[in-house]
Amino acid sequence: MAQPVGIKDVARAAGVSVGTVSNVINRPDSVATETRARVLSAIDRLGYVRSESARQLRAGRSRIMGLLVLDMGNPFFVDVARGAERAARDAGLGVMVCNSAQSASEEADYLSLFAEQRVRGVLLTPADATGRNIESFRRHGIPFVLVDRVAEGTTECSVSVDDVAGGALAVRHLIDAGHRSIAYVSGPPGFNQVRDRRTGAMNALAEAGLSPSALRELPTERLDVAAGRDAGARLLGLADRPTAAFCANDLLALGVLQAMYAAGVGVPDDLAIVGYDDIEFAAAAAVPLTSVRQPAVTMGALAAELLLEETETEAESGGRRHSHRRVVLQPELVVRRSSLSAR
């Protein structure tokens, strides 16, 4: 295997010192035009690529931030990544995107990788409901910001959406449409988002003077389309089937919609459906999906900006003087045909 070209090889080929090559790479204006051209020609001819990891070790600061999300198969997190990448790029940084796949053990592995790579900081949507992974990662002293989750019990920054308000928006809409028996396809109960959306749903029932029993919860092990189809099959098997379903995210809602379509159950006439996130596929579904919109791109960008603010403050002051903040964004109900029954 050929050895990688190093800075000494470039210096030898160009007939200059290693320091001159370094200046051409890092401070080109400090090098004479003719010398700079000779060095750049050697770099191009030899195919030299600067060792970013070596530069980081010398500088003590990485130009990479980590982003660890629950599910890159969910377009919501793709949009979060887009927002984070945009803010990082504006600051001259890159983003290492990793997918925990809703697994606490995979989350732990990626957090260890981030620590080994000495990333500038981490944007994290936790998969571990116990908080042990966060506690372990905190020992490395690498700043992190929680995304799509309020920083309960921690002092770190967070950017989230008011999921209690979002759950209330969804169920209030269904109640206003005349529904008095509503299924909540909820996802894993350990996720704060799932619990908060349920709390909002219960608040809406109480406002309308309805019993808590009007909400029938159908938990799922995951937050994906397959889990939604499974929940839809269980919903179809209920003796006293609810007339509406509120789903903890759009992928679950699309799975429920598929199950209804396969069984010949009409949406929205036989079952109204409301999702959460308002991913791109929600509007493009066979029956366009009513959904609670989260500003995902904005969420990712704000989280990255908070992380950058913290790391810059630390670098400039020589200590952690950053003032941690919890940013809570407001959701919006987007009404489409899946919940507009003629009943």
Side-chain angles (χ1 to χ4, degrees):
M1 181 180 295
Q3 290 293 107
V5 176
I7 192 169
K8 291 181 180 179
D9 300 310
V10 174
R12 189 180 305 114
V16 299
S17 69
V18 169
T20 298
V21 177
S22 178
N23 284 337
V24 169
I25 294 171
N26 298 297
R27 295 175 294 279
D29 292 341
S30 68
V31 182
T33 303
E34 182 181 341
T35 303
R36 186 167 67 243
R38 194 163 70 249
V39 171
L40 291 174
S41 176
I43 287 174
D44 183 61
R45 187 169 67 254
L46 297 176
Y48 169 74
V49 177
R50 178 171 66 170
S51 173
E52 180 64 18
S53 60
R55 191 199 68 79
Q56 289 176 14
L57 285 171
R58 288 193 299 272
R61 302 192 75 208
S62 171
R63 293 179 59 246
I64 299 294
M65 70 170 61
L67 171 62
L68 183 54
V69 300
L70 284 177
D71 181 11
M72 280 305 292
N74 185 340
F76 167 75
F77 288 110
V78 175
D79 286 344
V80 169
R82 283 175 48 218
E85 190 274 336
R86 183 184 304 164
R89 186 177 64 245
D90 288 346
L93 304 182
V95 179
M96 181 192 298
V97 181
C98 297
N99 176 26
S100 71
Q102 303 178 44
S103 164
S105 63
E106 291 192 34
E107 175 182 84
D109 291 341
Y110 279 123
L111 289 175
S112 294
L113 175 64
F114 289 153
E116 290 170 7
Q117 294 298 315
R118 299 177 64 179
V119 297
R120 177 78 63 93
V122 174
L123 307 178
L124 170 64
T125 302
D128 177 23
T130 69
R132 284 192 289 265
N133 286 343
I134 289 178
E135 285 303 314
S136 178
F137 183 70
R138 187 180 281 112
R139 292 197 293 268
H140 296 288
I142 298 174
F144 63 90
V145 174
L146 298 181
V147 185
D148 193 34
R149 174 173 164 180
V150 175
E152 295 175 350
T154 73
T155 59
E156 280 73 26
C157 290
S158 65
V159 181
S160 62
V161 165
D162 188 341
D163 284 319
V164 174
L169 281 174
V171 172
R172 195 178 294 126
H173 168 68
L174 292 171
I175 292 171
D176 290 344
H179 299 282
R180 296 296 180 267
S181 179
I182 301 168
Y184 177 41
V185 181
S186 61
F191 289 167
N192 287 15
Q193 301 93 323
V194 168
R195 294 198 301 269
D196 287 349
R197 291 165 197 178
R198 182 184 186 278
T199 297
M202 299 300 288
N203 289 348
L205 293 177
E207 290 171 7
L210 298 175
S211 167
S213 63
L215 191 75
R216 303 178 65 177
E217 188 165 358
L218 295 173
T220 63
E221 293 184 358
R222 298 181 62 81
L223 290 161
D224 55 25
V225 174
R229 283 196 297 266
D230 174 73
R234 284 183 281 146
L235 180 59
L236 289 168
L238 295 177
D240 185 17
R241 193 168 73 208
T243 60
F246 166 44
C247 302
N249 77 0
D250 284 343
L251 296 184
L252 290 173
L254 291 171
V256 171
L257 179 60
Q258 289 179 7
M260 297 304 111
Y261 181 83
V265 173
V267 175
D269 291 334
D270 297 318
L271 182 78
I273 302 176
V274 175
Y276 205 105
D277 290 340
D278 195 33
I279 62 175
E280 184 178 355
F281 299 138
V287 179
L289 185 66
T290 294
S291 184
V292 177
R293 175 178 294 165
Q294 298 199 80
V297 174
T298 299
M299 190 182 301
L302 286 174
E305 289 166 6
L306 284 175
L307 186 61
L308 289 165
E309 179 184 302
E310 178 171 0
T311 57
E312 290 302 321
T313 299
E314 179 183 355
E316 292 169 4
S317 66
R320 289 178 176 272
R321 298 179 185 174
H322 170 74
S323 178
H324 291 297
R325 287 185 284 153
R326 296 182 180 183
V327 179
V328 181
L329 305 174
Q330 291 304 307
E332 174 190 358
L333 181 69
V334 180
V335 178
R336 301 189 181 96
R337 191 154 59 88
S338 71
S339 64
L340 294 178
S341 175
R343 67 173 68 246

